[in-house]
Amino acid sequence: MENEKTATIGVIGGSGLYELFEPGTADEIDVPTPFGATSSPISIGTMSGRRVAFLTRHGRTHSVAPHRIEHRANLWALRSLGVRAVVSSSAVGGLHPDYAPGTFVVTDQLVDRTWGRADTYFEDEVQHLSFADPFDPVLRRAAIDAIAALDVPFRPTGTCVVIQGPRFSSRAESVWMREAGGHTINMTMSPEVPLAAELGIGTVNLSFVTDADAGLAPAADETAADATAGKHQAATEAPVTHQAVMDRLARANEVIVRAIGSIVAAVPDDYTPRELVPASASARVLELRP
């Protein structure tokens, strides 16, 4: 049974989402972890009639760079509070014309291009995570139905390429990632999603496309050779900047929060995450003391 210090649903806020509850309506707690401090204190409140634990990924003043986020601490803290389902929000760039700025995406696949990040809880034992479908199918179905009912531009699938950051892509990298099958680009989905899975937490991701990455919009009939040679269609938008991303997120904040609330409401009451590593292994990680 949930009490004021527990929740079974967690929300991880991405860039631009630093508060989820009205001031004075949530309990705020610091959760010590074996992996250091979380990116922000955790707020526990009510959203869409459900108890929700909220943590903002970059800190409340956007002070934590993507390559410096301690995802192990964030996920361990949420799981220790009882969270079994995480709704994560992400600001992403669009690599494909069908994923234009202003579009919501319920991500279904990712390609990890990060390096050097602490990406597993199992440093001293072998646990092979089953990761063919990174995002929980039950939560994705609930999210798709919830977002489809809203009057917003929406894609029910999308492959996100996760880059190291904090820099943005070169034009050549942007074309290459699209040619490789990427629809969106982001800096934080990995190792967040696999770490959640290692602790027995199901994840669903709601991305909001803020930009067109390096500004490229290759023509539909363009060949890979043309793209490599630089013979691509003129950009329809200027290359991404941090300020442009934040400005677009600020304008969209109300609809992003509304969309997250719709997904939270749609999480089944009897939801049970997939067991992608043995539950006993997850339990050993949770038994670690700060």
Side-chain angles (χ1 to χ4, degrees):
M1 180 180 294
E2 292 180 343
N3 59 45
E4 64 179 12
K5 301 299 185 184
T6 66
T8 56
I9 299 174
V11 172
I12 299 179
S15 297
L17 185 58
Y18 310 120
E19 300 287 346
L20 193 65
F21 308 110
E22 291 295 324
T25 65
D27 297 308
E28 184 173 292
I29 56 175
D30 286 301
V31 181
T33 87
F35 308 99
T38 57
S39 295
S40 73
I42 297 175
S43 299
I44 301 181
T46 301
M47 184 182 210
S48 303
R50 315 290 289 275
R51 293 288 291 174
V52 170
F54 172 71
L55 180 150
T56 183
R57 191 183 287 121
H58 292 283
R60 289 180 177 165
T61 60
H62 203 93
S63 58
V64 186
H67 65 296
R68 299 299 297 273
I69 296 170
E70 184 43 272
H71 295 281
R72 293 177 303 174
N74 291 347
L75 274 304
W76 192 95
L78 289 173
R79 182 68 187 91
S80 72
L81 295 174
V83 168
R84 302 305 305 275
V86 159
V87 181
S88 71
S89 74
S90 299
V92 300
L95 294 172
H96 191 282
D98 290 345
Y99 293 74
T103 302
F104 283 95
V105 184
V106 180
T107 311
D108 66 324
Q109 284 291 325
L110 63 81
V111 176
D112 186 2
R113 296 286 300 168
T114 66
W115 53 270
R117 301 183 181 189
D119 59 1
T120 181
Y121 288 105
F122 300 108
E123 300 287 357
D124 299 318
E125 63 175 285
V126 177
Q127 292 293 340
H128 294 292
L129 177 70
S130 179
F131 204 59
D133 297 299
F135 301 94
D136 188 275
V138 173
L139 297 180
R140 287 195 68 255
R141 183 71 262 163
I144 289 168
D145 292 344
I147 302 304
L150 303 178
D151 185 22
V152 296
F154 161 59
R155 294 287 171 184
T157 61
T159 295
C160 184
V161 181
V162 190
I163 64 172
Q164 178 72 1
R167 72 167 177 86
F168 294 115
S169 307
S170 70
R171 293 186 187 276
E173 288 168 334
S174 191
V175 171
W176 178 71
M177 286 183 284
R178 180 190 166 182
E179 293 294 329
H183 300 109
T184 62
I185 183 170
N186 167 266
M187 299 178 186
T188 56
M189 280 190 215
S190 189
E192 184 176 276
V193 178
L195 287 171
E198 285 188 346
L199 290 185
I201 301 172
T203 305
V204 61
N205 174 260
L206 179 69
S207 288
F208 180 73
V209 183
T210 60
D211 58 87
D213 196 37
L216 299 180
D221 58 353
E222 181 182 78
T223 67
D226 287 340
T228 302
K231 300 175 183 177
H232 38 63
Q233 180 178 310
T236 57
E237 289 206 7
V240 59
T241 66
H242 177 71
Q243 190 59 52
V245 169
M246 301 310 291
D247 289 345
R248 182 162 259 145
L249 287 168
R251 292 193 297 270
N253 183 264
E254 184 277 332
V255 69
I256 292 172
V257 172
R258 181 160 54 94
I260 291 171
S262 295
I263 297 174
V264 166
V267 174
D269 291 334
D270 60 352
Y271 170 72
T272 301
R274 299 171 295 173
E275 188 175 310
L276 300 181
V277 298
S280 57
S282 301
R284 285 194 294 275
V285 175
L286 292 166
E287 289 168 358
L288 298 175
R289 298 275 61 88

